[in-house]
Amino acid sequence: MKFVKSCWLGAALTVCTVGARAYGQQKKYSTDHATFTVNAKGYFVSIKDKKNGNEYVPKGLPSALLTLVAHKQQMLPVSAVYSSGNIRLRYAGGAVANIGIKLLPQYVQLELLSLENAPEVDNIIWGPYKTNISKTIGEIISVVRDDSFAIGMLGLTDNTTSGPPTDGDFGVTYYYIHSPDPVKYPLPPHLKEGQKFKIGGDGRNDVAFYSQPEEYFRMNYGNGAVLEPDFGSSITMHSRNRRKEQMIRFPVLPDNLDGGYNSARYQLVVPTDAGFEGSAIALYACPDTLGLQTIERIVLNEGLPHPEINGKWIKNPASFRTDVAWHGPHDSLAAYMHRLGLKNVQDEGWGEYYPNFENKWGHNRVRFTGGREKTLPVYGQELKTQGIRYGLHTLCEFMQPGNNSHVAPVPSDSLAIMQRTRLAAALSASDTVIVLEDTVYLNEFGGWEGNHTNVLKIGKELIEYESITTTRPYTLVNVKRGLYGSVRGTYASGTEIVKLQPNCYRGFAPDMRLQELYADFYGRWLTEGGMDYIDFDGLESCMYQGHGQYSFKRFFRQLFDSYAKTGGEYLRVMGSCVFEGNWHYMSVCNVGGGNHMFDPVGNKWGIEGKDMRYVFESNYFPATFGIINYSPDWSIYDIENLQAKSIGWDATYMLGLSQGAVERSGTKDAAFAAFRLWEDARATGVFTKEIKEQLKDMSKKFHLEKTASGAYILSTLRENRLQDVAYQNEFHAIFLQKPGTAAMMEWWVRVHAEKGVWADGLKIRMPGGRILPVEVRLAGGEYVLYHDGAMYVADRSRKILRKIADIDPIDWESSNPAIGIASLGAPSGKVKLEVVSVVLENRQQLRIK
């Protein structure tokens, strides 16, 4: 994954010379699918689809090829001189940018070779490049798409990152109005395209962030591409001179700049050794169907990270697979994984892991029933020999005072800081009155998450305070010295004192130097523990340094290098979010869970799932259902639906498993077999694009079978679900949809009642008129169900308690086949019934590609 700098000599110039033609004062560059025209001033004036001639630069809105920024003031080019393999841009004031240009079949490579007469420039901007495309906005990786074409760019150096220069080098999160289909989802009169709204919630509850169910409310996760309602969209990347110190004001989460819980805070960003010299991008324009393929070609050509699994790039939908989130004792973990045909497991039974160099395995053990336990390295190696990728749920770089040697009792000099000032008076070990030279925003509570953590570091001592006076002498209020066991010291006037950057759990974060060591630690820790999987919760710990996407790239590059050097092969990375800085490295982002993401029983997307699906799909990343816990009361059609919909949407998810939940299930064996069948079928490639479109249908569920000859048969199911059916003496007719030539698959009645309330039996009237008494008291959650030619009573986990009767096949030729449901005992308003029938509608044979 080493970055390969481009060569501007020899053969590279030949490609450029052949592909470029002069048109007066303009220069035209051609790739396989597009032509790019730059005018005499150094502006893109045309991007055309070579196949049909469609123009994608808005009329009268050219875009500067490269913009310079000094002290937040932009400088645009005023002239351009073209030569073979080079563009020389001049700016007002005398600045000159020399840009190398190289043509490849799929894209144009642009590199800043040198910048002259521009000592005050602190940022360069590739773009914004304006387009008239507006349907799909890939804000994370700077790509815009419609039904026929895609235009985007990738940064080719770690310090070439998405979006324009901003405080913190991040775009804030918000909702914006954009209909993916104005005909299907028209905007109401009170909303307009591009209108922005804060995300929901109070800043504390992750689920509450996702608050708008309408399809035209889109969640924004970045600023690499932006909807421009007046003309379409724009895409941007930039590179910063990070050797310069800067003061920023930035909110890590929603756009709360107004004093809310996640309000912006001022932060001093400490320099790191990275400049914009050599900044480079790959600019591509191609049919949308070739977008992901084009990105992969750029990645391979330019030596960008290209993690593979079983020979396939992790961004290739053919590599998408379900993971497991494991809870509880580990006795059955490996057995379940083999039965389900799954390879990747995150161990939630271990708990959240916080890194600590001095105690890298913590005090936890891998536990089994009967009090047995193993160390994690022993267990990890055992699973690895069985072909299972195993890993933990970590809190990335969260450095907690009670469990981190870099914080306590002797704090490191490489903790990330927010502010810096000096003592205005000497301080003895016993003093609690601390006077500072200035306030430097010390009256703001520490951190962006509003958790009121105010901790200072002086020498090797940590000090807590509440506030600081606003008039001289600037004195800290409510001081607690020697925090977390650090030693009180004696300090002279003028001694430097810094405010630490806290994480959202009141711990701390590393600076850029220490972050490199944490990335290296994780790489070695993984291979020593026999682990090929890791979940980085708390990925915002790579934001606390103030270097934005660049910080992520530095962390992940060092992690993968360390992992590879210590013998690692494929590392499956999960994390709390997807940014441009970690897009190349992330395999999946299965965050959130339950009905907030996707409900396999009710067959619908939750709000959080809808929002994340749009963001991820727009950026060529797999959509997710998050964590979906296996429920003992699922029918096999529920778990089949989970598989079918994930395949249809090219979505990933983690199946939450514990042996307690699985062993309670009455459908365990059938459900596991059905799940495995879908996994095996997916691996063969039988689910074509057309079949996947069918599987997306949210009004249907699906059933998969395999014949003795090895053929896969896909059946469409119609599930009729009636809820809140009264428990009464009169029969309630449940009309069954005629399935044509196929037969009824299954039906059931479920009792809903509070604890201590019972249904005193049921009467079931079959379509032919036969009445079957169910002379059993039924508690809340219990079933009467028909399956395989017989009717049974089952517990709340579908385990069979007793057989009621054999059932004759339903007479589908009657005019209105129906089942009647009534109470056997006294009616009760405290009891409600749910009645579900599953009917097969059609069958089709799938062909293995």
Side-chain angles (χ1 to χ4, degrees):
M1 297 183 184
K2 183 170 64 175
F3 172 69
V4 180
K5 285 187 68 68
S6 55
C7 175
W8 301 103
L9 301 175
L13 288 179
T14 303
V15 175
C16 189
T17 303
V18 172
R21 302 196 308 274
Y23 281 74
Q25 295 301 307
Q26 298 182 340
K27 198 73 168 178
K28 181 177 288 189
Y29 301 95
S30 181
T31 62
D32 282 353
H33 301 291
T35 57
F36 301 82
T37 304
V38 192
N39 70 9
K41 293 177 65 176
Y43 286 70
F44 280 112
V45 292
S46 175
I47 302 175
K48 280 188 177 180
D49 182 342
K50 287 175 67 174
K51 183 177 181 180
N52 56 30
N54 287 345
E55 176 63 68
Y56 288 99
V57 170
K59 188 175 182 179
L61 294 175
S63 301
L65 191 152
L66 186 74
T67 302
L68 308 181
V69 182
H71 308 296
K72 298 191 176 182
Q73 298 299 311
Q74 293 190 359
M75 293 182 283
L76 300 173
V78 296
S79 68
V81 177
Y82 300 96
S83 60
S84 183
N86 185 271
I87 302 174
R88 187 172 173 86
L89 298 179
R90 293 186 178 275
Y91 299 79
V96 176
N98 289 300
I99 298 172
I101 182 166
K102 179 181 177 182
L103 297 184
L104 290 96
Q106 296 88 5
Y107 62 99
V108 178
Q109 185 199 74
L110 299 168
E111 180 180 16
L112 179 64
L113 301 178
S114 65
L115 188 61
E116 305 167 11
N117 306 322
E120 298 302 311
V121 169
D122 46 38
N123 279 277
I124 64 165
I125 304 175
W126 299 101
Y129 301 147
K130 306 178 188 72
T131 86
N132 55 25
I133 294 174
S134 62
K135 181 170 184 178
T136 302
I137 308 298
E139 72 271 36
I140 295 175
I141 62 168
S142 304
V143 62
V144 292
R145 306 155 59 191
D146 60 18
D147 291 332
S148 59
F149 217 61
I151 300 175
M153 57 175 137
L154 289 182
L156 303 183
T157 68
D158 284 352
N159 194 25
T160 304
T161 63
S162 63
T166 60
D167 280 2
D169 282 348
F170 259 91
V172 294
T173 306
Y174 56 84
Y175 271 120
Y176 67 102
I177 301 300
H178 178 48
S179 177
D181 186 334
V183 175
K184 190 175 181 180
Y185 306 112
L187 299 185
H190 68 284
L191 296 176
K192 64 180 181 179
E193 188 80 358
Q195 190 174 353
K196 295 180 181 180
F197 295 87
K198 289 185 179 181
I199 62 177
D202 57 6
R204 296 170 171 85
N205 184 337
D206 290 354
V207 169
F209 293 163
Y210 304 91
S211 57
Q212 302 291 346
E214 296 85 358
E215 297 290 329
Y216 44 74
F217 271 92
R218 306 293 296 272
M219 182 72 78
N220 178 74
Y221 269 29
N223 58 359
V226 178
L227 177 71
E228 305 279 5
D230 291 339
F231 57 82
S233 62
S234 62
I235 57 175
T236 312
M237 300 198 85
H238 81 283
S239 186
R240 179 185 297 281
N241 180 1
R242 301 186 183 279
R243 301 184 183 101
K244 292 184 178 182
E245 190 165 278
Q246 59 170 325
M247 181 69 74
I248 65 172
R249 186 170 185 252
F250 176 68
V252 68
L253 279 172
D255 54 332
N256 285 336
L257 298 171
D258 57 0
Y261 184 78
N262 287 305
S263 295
R265 298 284 188 269
Y266 284 97
Q267 178 186 350
L268 186 69
V269 179
V270 178
T272 191
D273 188 18
F276 46 65
E277 58 273 9
S279 174
I281 64 166
L283 178 65
Y284 61 93
C286 63
D288 187 43
T289 55
L290 299 178
L292 188 62
Q293 178 181 320
T294 298
I295 291 173
E296 184 174 19
R297 178 45 51 196
I298 295 170
V299 166
L300 291 171
N301 284 353
E302 302 294 339
L304 297 175
H306 187 266
E308 297 179 358
I309 177 171
N310 300 326
K312 294 184 177 66
W313 185 36
I314 58 173
K315 299 297 185 291
N316 184 340
S319 74
F320 296 170
R321 292 294 184 271
T322 302
D323 294 359
V324 165
W326 184 264
H327 302 265
H330 296 73
D331 304 63
S332 301
L333 188 156
Y336 289 173
M337 296 291 287
H338 293 311
R339 289 183 63 186
L340 293 168
L342 300 180
K343 300 293 186 182
N344 314 298
V345 58
Q346 174 177 310
D347 192 347
E348 295 287 348
W350 176 279
E352 294 177 336
Y353 175 83
Y354 294 86
N356 184 352
F357 285 20
E358 298 299 321
N359 186 18
K360 59 186 173 183
W361 300 115
H363 300 293
N364 286 345
R365 295 290 184 271
V366 178
R367 292 183 169 83
F368 300 82
T369 55
R372 295 180 299 114
E373 58 183 34
K374 295 179 181 179
T375 65
L376 189 140
V378 168
Y379 188 61
Q381 292 292 348
E382 287 181 3
L383 291 184
K384 190 169 186 175
T385 60
Q386 298 182 57
I388 297 173
R389 298 180 187 91
Y390 172 78
L392 300 187
H393 177 164
T394 76
L395 264 294
C396 199
E397 300 175 316
F398 277 31
M399 304 162 65
Q400 304 310 107
N403 183 33
N404 190 282
S405 57
H406 287 113
V407 176
V410 181
S412 168
D413 293 332
S414 287
L415 298 177
I417 71 168
M418 298 191 72
Q419 303 297 340
R420 181 194 301 121
T421 185
R422 295 182 181 277
L423 294 180
L427 187 65
S428 72
S430 60
D431 285 337
T432 57
V433 176
I434 302 177
V435 183
L436 305 180
E437 289 183 353
D438 53 57
T439 62
V440 290
Y441 307 111
L442 294 181
N443 268 316
E444 291 185 340
F445 286 113
W448 302 311
E449 291 93 355
N451 59 24
H452 294 196
T453 300
N454 284 336
V455 176
L456 305 173
K457 177 181 174 295
I458 183 169
K460 293 297 185 181
E461 180 184 354
L462 299 181
I463 299 171
E464 187 177 52
Y465 75 99
E466 183 178 294
S467 60
I468 188 170
T469 60
T470 56
T471 58
R472 291 184 184 275
Y474 300 125
T475 307
L476 296 174
V477 177
N478 290 341
V479 168
K480 295 180 182 177
R481 296 193 59 184
L483 197 65
Y484 308 131
S486 60
V487 177
R488 291 187 176 203
T490 298
Y491 312 99
S493 178
T495 301
E496 181 178 88
I497 186 168
V498 297
K499 182 173 183 176
L500 298 182
Q501 170 73 272
N503 62 47
C504 63
Y505 291 164
R506 297 178 181 271
F508 303 98
D511 67 9
M512 294 293 285
R513 292 172 296 175
L514 187 54
Q515 178 177 271
E516 297 276 294
L517 298 181
Y518 272 85
D520 179 68
F521 164 83
Y522 271 121
R524 291 181 288 105
W525 176 83
L526 283 161
T527 53
E528 185 179 333
M531 295 181 283
D532 300 302
Y533 177 108
I534 193 165
D535 173 16
F536 286 122
D537 199 352
L539 264 177
E540 67 268 24
S541 56
C542 290
M543 299 168 66
Y544 289 129
Q545 301 80 11
H547 286 284
Q549 310 291 351
Y550 174 69
S551 180
F552 283 86
K553 293 181 182 183
R554 281 269 295 265
F555 175 81
F556 277 97
R557 183 175 291 277
Q558 180 60 45
L559 166 71
F560 271 63
D561 284 349
S562 173
Y563 174 74
K565 287 176 182 176
T566 51
E569 295 177 2
Y570 166 64
L571 175 59
R572 189 171 183 83
V573 178
M574 224 290 281
S576 55
C577 199
V578 181
F579 302 115
E580 188 261 336
N582 64 333
W583 183 89
H584 289 287
Y585 300 93
M586 293 274 288
S587 296
V588 290
C589 187
N590 295 321
V591 297
N595 293 346
H596 301 295
M597 296 297 295
F598 177 74
D599 176 8
V601 178
N603 204 15
K604 59 184 178 181
W605 285 94
I607 299 174
E608 184 178 6
K610 179 267 291 185
D611 287 342
M612 295 183 71
R613 183 185 78 226
Y614 278 147
V615 170
F616 289 177
E617 286 184 335
S618 298
N619 290 278
Y620 298 113
F621 195 86
T624 180
F625 294 161
I627 302 175
I628 305 293
N629 289 322
Y630 179 84
S631 180
D633 64 355
W634 279 354
S635 73
I636 65 167
Y637 308 112
D638 296 329
I639 201 164
E640 284 199 90
N641 187 51
L642 181 59
Q643 285 285 76
K645 290 300 184 292
S646 71
I647 292 169
W649 287 98
D650 279 330
T652 61
Y653 67 96
M654 283 197 286
L655 182 64
L657 288 179
S658 70
Q659 55 199 48
V662 171
E663 297 306 320
R664 288 199 306 273
S665 172
T667 61
K668 176 191 72 173
D669 293 334
F672 272 38
F675 184 100
R676 176 63 182 266
L677 189 61
W678 284 88
E679 282 296 301
D680 291 346
R682 171 160 50 183
T684 69
V686 297
F687 299 111
T688 63
K689 182 178 179 181
E690 293 72 24
I691 294 296
K692 287 182 178 181
E693 284 301 314
Q694 294 181 38
L695 296 177
K696 285 183 179 181
D697 190 336
M698 304 306 285
S699 69
K700 297 174 182 176
K701 292 187 177 182
F702 298 87
H703 175 61
L704 191 67
E705 302 168 80
K706 188 175 184 180
T707 67
S709 64
Y712 288 99
I713 306 296
L714 180 68
S715 300
T716 302
L717 304 178
R718 180 72 64 178
E719 188 176 79
N720 305 303
R721 185 180 297 269
L722 288 178
Q723 296 178 310
D724 295 327
V725 175
Y727 184 69
Q728 60 187 20
N729 292 135
E730 296 79 19
F731 280 104
H732 186 106
I734 311 297
F735 290 96
L736 305 177
Q737 180 178 337
K738 290 186 178 183
T741 59
M744 165 73 72
M745 298 292 289
E746 193 168 299
W747 58 260
W748 61 83
V749 180
R750 192 175 195 185
V751 173
H752 291 283
E754 296 178 0
K755 187 175 181 179
V757 176
W758 302 78
D760 289 323
L762 289 172
K763 291 183 291 185
I764 310 293
R765 184 179 62 200
M766 301 305 295
R770 180 186 179 190
I771 295 177
L772 298 171
V774 181
E775 298 174 315
V776 178
R777 295 181 72 194
L778 300 167
E782 293 186 330
Y783 294 85
V784 173
L785 57 85
Y786 163 81
H787 174 71
D788 245 1
M791 192 166 69
Y792 304 90
V793 172
D795 70 9
R796 64 185 62 220
S797 297
R798 294 182 181 265
K799 277 193 173 179
I800 301 300
L801 299 176
R802 66 160 64 176
K803 182 177 180 180
I804 300 299
D806 291 317
I807 303 295
D808 295 329
I810 292 175
D811 179 12
W812 293 107
E813 298 306 316
S814 61
S815 57
N816 288 303
I819 298 171
I821 308 293
S823 64
L824 184 64
S828 172
K830 295 182 178 181
V831 176
K832 297 293 182 182
L833 306 177
E834 178 184 27
V835 185
V836 180
S837 62
V838 181
V839 180
L840 184 148
E841 289 189 326
N842 60 63
R843 294 158 61 87
Q844 59 181 310
Q845 182 170 327
L846 305 182
R847 299 188 182 277
I848 298 176
K849 292 191 294 184

